[in-house]
Amino acid sequence: MADETPGFELPLLLFAGFRTLIDQLHAELARQGHPDVRPAYGFALQAIGRGGATASELGRLLGVSKQAAGKTVDRLVALGYAVRADDPADARRKVIRLTPHGVDALARSAAIFEELRAQWATALGPGRLRALEADLRAVAPLAGVRLDVPGWFGG
């Protein structure tokens, strides 16, 4: 008997799982002192990373224009998650760097994701979760993961 699940359900289920995790992450981040972090900011914080990035680099990593990246940076700076600093290699450039508040948000996000994964392991069983992760890696390798979700969704 052929599988009767329509093909369009697979991306919807994958997105629903993603959205569930992200929504739970942000609810917990808010409880832990980061109520202003939005999903797009999370991608930007990841792209900036510990090494910093210019607005152009950030735009490229996020798949958005330099101007759109600049607006995101403006908001991250206003919220205390990032600062603009002179680039030691080129005084004409500014590098966006995470503040301790930004680093804290990323560290808390990582810990919260561990908790959420543990909840999924409880709900599905550890073996089934490992199998799900292995199956997803087989069809969508982590090496192909890109941070340009905001730009990709924006078209």
Side-chain angles (χ1 to χ4, degrees):
M1 180 170 161
D3 186 354
E4 295 181 24
T5 303
F8 71 85
E9 280 191 16
L10 178 59
L12 293 176
L13 289 168
L14 290 169
F15 182 72
F18 171 79
R19 178 69 192 257
T20 298
L21 288 169
I22 296 302
D23 287 348
Q24 290 173 332
L25 166 76
H26 286 278
E28 185 58 29
L29 273 176
R31 282 190 283 281
Q32 293 187 22
H34 295 280
D36 297 316
V37 175
R38 301 291 176 260
Y41 301 163
F43 287 106
L45 293 170
Q46 287 288 333
I48 294 167
R50 295 196 184 262
T54 66
S56 294
E57 292 166 341
L58 186 59
R60 189 172 53 256
L61 289 168
L62 297 177
V64 299
S65 69
K66 179 181 174 183
Q67 293 77 15
K71 286 182 182 181
T72 299
V73 171
D74 289 343
R75 189 69 182 133
L76 291 174
V77 168
L79 293 170
Y81 289 100
V83 294
R84 287 184 173 92
D86 291 332
D87 184 342
D90 184 348
R92 298 168 296 171
R93 291 181 359 147
K94 294 286 185 190
V95 176
I96 299 104
R97 298 204 185 281
L98 298 180
T99 64
H101 194 53
V103 171
D104 182 67
L106 283 181
R108 288 178 186 269
S109 293
I112 293 165
F113 275 130
E114 290 299 322
E115 292 171 19
L116 293 172
R117 186 186 181 283
Q119 290 173 15
W120 279 43
T122 298
L124 301 174
R128 287 187 64 204
L129 180 57
R130 282 192 303 274
L132 172 62
E133 291 167 335
D135 290 344
L136 288 171
R137 279 187 202 96
V139 296
L142 280 176
V145 173
R146 297 169 28 194
L147 295 174
D148 66 348
V149 172
W152 182 78
F153 270 122

